[in-house]
């Protein structure tokens, strides 16, 4: 019974997201990395992996990323001073930083983190 429940959970979850999309919700994903000592390459690889999971499992329409922030940092302050190289990296595989996400607040949205 547990194996069957685990096997069907993702399908049920994605069905609920598809229903929201039919109701014209925009599914927005967000992921972040906590400050750490890993290399830039490793941090980017991990973020790309998280973005891919949001796209694959949560069927997100857009994904926004914070390269380095603490979970208790106010959302309005996240990514407020990104360097150009960081923005270039984000623009290659996401829809921008947390600051870009704030511009979507007037739409019918469902956030997936």
């Amino acid at each position: 019974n547990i194996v069957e429940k685990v096997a069907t959970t993702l399908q049920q979850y994605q069905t609920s997201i598809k229903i929201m999309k039919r109701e014209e919700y925009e599914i927005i994903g967000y992921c972040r990395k906590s400050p750490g000592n890993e290399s830039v390459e490793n941090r980017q690889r991990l973020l790309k992996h998280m973005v891919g999971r949001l796209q694959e499992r949560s069927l997100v329409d857009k994904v926004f990323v914070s390269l380095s922030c603490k979970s208790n940092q106010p959302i309005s302050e996240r990514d407020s001073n990104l360097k150009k190289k960081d923005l270039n990296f984000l623009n290659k595989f996401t829809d921008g930083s947390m600051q870009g996400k704030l511009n979507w607040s007037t739409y019918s949205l469902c956030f997936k983190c």
Side-chain angles (χ1 to χ4, degrees):
N1 191 11
I2 291 176
V3 173
E4 184 179 314
K5 188 170 185 171
V6 169
T8 61
T9 299
L10 179 61
Q11 183 180 3
Q12 292 169 349
Y13 172 66
Q14 289 179 335
T15 298
S16 68
I17 291 173
K18 289 174 185 175
I19 290 168
M20 287 189 288
K21 286 185 171 201
R22 281 195 301 268
E23 294 173 356
E24 298 185 16
Y25 280 87
E26 183 108 28
I27 310 300
I28 306 296
Y30 171 68
C31 57
R32 69 173 187 85
K33 283 292 294 162
S34 296
N37 295 325
E38 64 265 299
S39 67
V40 171
E41 294 81 14
N42 194 41
R43 178 171 290 276
Q44 290 176 349
R45 181 185 60 77
L46 292 169
L47 282 167
K48 285 180 185 179
H49 185 72
M50 287 189 274
V51 167
R53 291 288 187 225
L54 282 168
Q55 292 167 332
E56 174 188 325
R57 295 179 181 167
S58 295
L59 310 174
V60 296
D61 298 305
K62 301 203 177 292
V63 181
F64 296 91
V65 172
S66 288
L67 290 174
S68 179
C69 69
K70 295 182 180 179
S71 61
N72 64 351
Q73 183 177 6
I75 290 176
S76 61
E77 294 176 11
R78 294 180 186 189
D79 307 317
S80 58
N81 56 356
L82 283 177
K83 297 176 181 152
K84 186 173 183 174
K85 68 177 182 158
D86 294 331
L87 287 171
N88 289 339
F89 167 74
L90 288 178
N91 290 335
K92 288 180 183 176
F93 74 100
T94 73
D95 294 289
S97 68
M98 191 59 211
Q99 294 304 311
K101 185 177 180 181
L102 294 175
N103 295 332
W104 286 86
S105 61
T106 59
Y107 296 88
S108 296
L109 302 174
C110 177
F111 290 104
K112 298 291 178 188
C113 300

